[in-house]
Amino acid sequence: MTGRRHDPDAELMAQGTGNLVAPFFGGFAATGAIARTATNVRSGARSPIAALVHAGVVLLAVLLLAPLLGRLPMASLAALLLFVAWNMSELDHFAHVVKVAPRHDVAVLLTCFGLTVLFDMVVAVSWASSWPRCSS
């Protein structure tokens, strides 16, 4: 999304740590960090501080607006999640990669995509981390 290379392991480690710590505070494991990262990048964020500010704003909104947010219908929240997922999907980029990338990369992409849809992201990421790397 940024046009630069990054280390996905750093984000996965941070997300994993958050998923381990969240239950101690009444939370549950989720992939909200990915949505927050995508939102920050699309909004022009350039440092990890943006994620902290974003999380703080969300926390304040939940704490201050909890009575109102509790009245939101679940259907509207589901629609919001679908909208965010669609915006994160980058369908044009996905199709472009399938057309121009080396076959090995396309195989990894399509397998991870299929595993995520059929099972969940943990299965897909676990499988992808064990996939042998190309020498090229």
Side-chain angles (χ1 to χ4, degrees), residues 16-107:
T17 302
N19 287 342
L20 287 172
V21 173
F24 292 110
F25 298 94
F28 56 91
T31 59
I34 294 170
R36 181 171 297 119
T37 299
T39 301
N40 283 336
V41 168
R42 288 178 188 252
S43 299
R46 295 288 175 243
S47 86
I49 304 270
L52 293 173
V53 171
H54 187 198
V57 169
V58 170
L59 177 64
L60 280 174
V62 168
L63 291 176
L64 297 175
L65 302 173
L68 294 174
L69 294 174
R71 299 182 193 277
L72 284 174
M74 285 296 180
S76 64
L77 295 177
L80 179 63
L81 285 174
L82 285 173
F83 179 72
V84 170
W86 179 260
N87 286 336
M88 286 176 52
S89 70
E90 296 186 344
L91 189 58
D92 293 338
H93 180 69
F94 187 91
H96 176 72
V97 169
V98 169
K99 289 179 187 174
V100 301
R103 283 189 285 173
H104 180 270
D105 291 346
V106 172

